[in-house]
Amino acid sequence: MSQLYNSIEPNIIDDEMVQKAIEEQCPEDIGKLAKREGINLKDVTELQLGFRNILQIDNLWQFENLTKLQLDNNIIEKIEALESLVHLVWLDLSFNNIEVIEGLDTLVKLQDLSLYNNRISKIEHMDTLQELQIFSIGKNNLTTLEDVIYLRRFKNLRTLNLMGNPLCHDEQYTLFVVAHLPDLVYLDFKLVSDTTREVAVLKYQDLTEPLEREEAQALAQLEEKQAKQKELEYHKRLDEIHSASSYDIAESKRAEYKEDILQLSEALMTLEMLIADQLEELIKDFKGNIAVIASTFIENVKGIITQCRDLENRHHEKLLEISITTLEKSVKNQLDEDLPADVRMLLVDKNTIVNAVNASHGIRLLKIAKRESDILCNTYRWQASVTEKAFQNEIDRNRDRVREIVQYIDNLQEELDNIEILEPTE
């Protein structure tokens, strides 16, 4: 985009530019008021600084509550000076000359980031952007499909644009991206179809399954590390009580720590209640889905059983017709072949043969009915068992978790109570 500004001197964001931008984006009457009386920059939540030939980002530290920032269509070469914009949700740095992704560490609330049409060759330095939902990095210099794997850490990412990068020329591009980012909804402005997702998962499962195991292991290690860190902090606080310079200070620290333990207990119980409520809703949804599956299966079974009965009725009619014909030929000694003795026993008269065929028909219908009943009963039992097990597992999990919290808090309290604070001797 810089070629559009070859005859214009590059700019740095200064007070005059910022003030002018605020006045321009305000309604006319408010803009005039802002120009006359000024405006508190802390009240500004959106700022548009596109098409201003900006070379260097600067002078934005006063916008403490900014949530949306447009810096598109400039000649910016480096992402910098955004550290104070901690409330930023939307950032547009498209159509610039940026070569490296950096300077975004403090933007932990960022949900929508556009780096479209720059000179970036690697996706990196974005680890803290865990709220990221929309990411546009099309028309850059990304060359290898493996760069996409970095984006797996963003569990909320649903929309991704990579269009215009060299890596898009790979014939496996779409399947590779969809397989490695299973929660993606839109890729390059197109909805990811279920068919594409299924094909991608099957094609790359040998690559994605090890990644999933590694990520699970890394998460477990991180949780263990955090737990150890908390334990160290806990013992450090106990040491502070031991090493207090006076009895009053030690008692004060003990009382402070007791209050912290109480708050921790309340926080853990509150979180457990939230989890329990969320799981209850999920289990209700699960129960509904199981009911739909069971109902669909039952309807299919009933359809098949109906076909079986129709086939049996047609078989019965045909068998009855053949039997009567055979009886008539037997009476006239016109049978072409000898029949088994047990069959000849039935060829006495019409009533005998009809009764025998009807009895056989009735037995087969009973077997079909029993088979239907068995399948339906087993399906209903399975449905009840699966849903009851889900509910019971959640009840057990909740009880275990509450018991664990209580025990943990009791242990903390007991250890605190067991600390002896010696009164100073005179």
Side-chain angles (χ1 to χ4, degrees), residues 4-5 10 22 32 47 60 68 70 108 151 180 204 230 233-234 251 296 306 327 331 356 372 374 381 420:
L4 299 178
Y5 298 93
I22 294 172
K32 291 179 180 178
L47 185 61
L60 295 175
K68 183 175 181 179
Q70 289 182 244
V108 295
L151 298 175
H180 286 82
Y204 287 101
K230 289 180 180 179
E233 292 175 359
Y234 162 64
E251 279 294 348
T296 302
T306 298
L327 175 62
V331 171
E372 179 183 26
D374 290 344
R381 278 197 294 268
E420 293 186 7

Side-chain angles (χ1 to χ4, degrees), residues 204-226:
Y204 287 101
Q205 62 183 358
D206 291 342
L207 294 178
T208 56
E209 287 177 357
L211 282 175
E212 291 170 359
R213 289 194 293 269
E214 290 174 10
E215 290 166 355
Q217 185 177 3
L219 179 60
Q221 291 174 348
L222 176 61
E223 290 175 347
E224 183 179 359
K225 182 179 179 181
Q226 291 173 341

Side-chain angles (χ1 to χ4, degrees), residues 297-298 301-302 304-305 368-382:
F297 177 74
I298 287 171
V301 167
K302 288 181 176 179
I304 293 172
I305 294 297
I368 292 173
K370 186 177 186 306
R371 183 59 175 162
E372 179 183 26
S373 177
D374 290 344
I375 293 174
L376 296 185
C377 288
N378 289 336
T379 302
Y380 292 133
R381 278 197 294 268
W382 171 81

Side-chain angles (χ1 to χ4, degrees), residues 37 67 100 130 144 174 198 211 221 225 257 327 416:
E37 300 182 4
T67 59
V100 178
Q130 291 302 310
T144 59
T174 299
E198 291 170 3
L211 282 175
Q221 291 174 348
K225 182 179 179 181
Y257 192 27
L327 175 62
L416 180 63

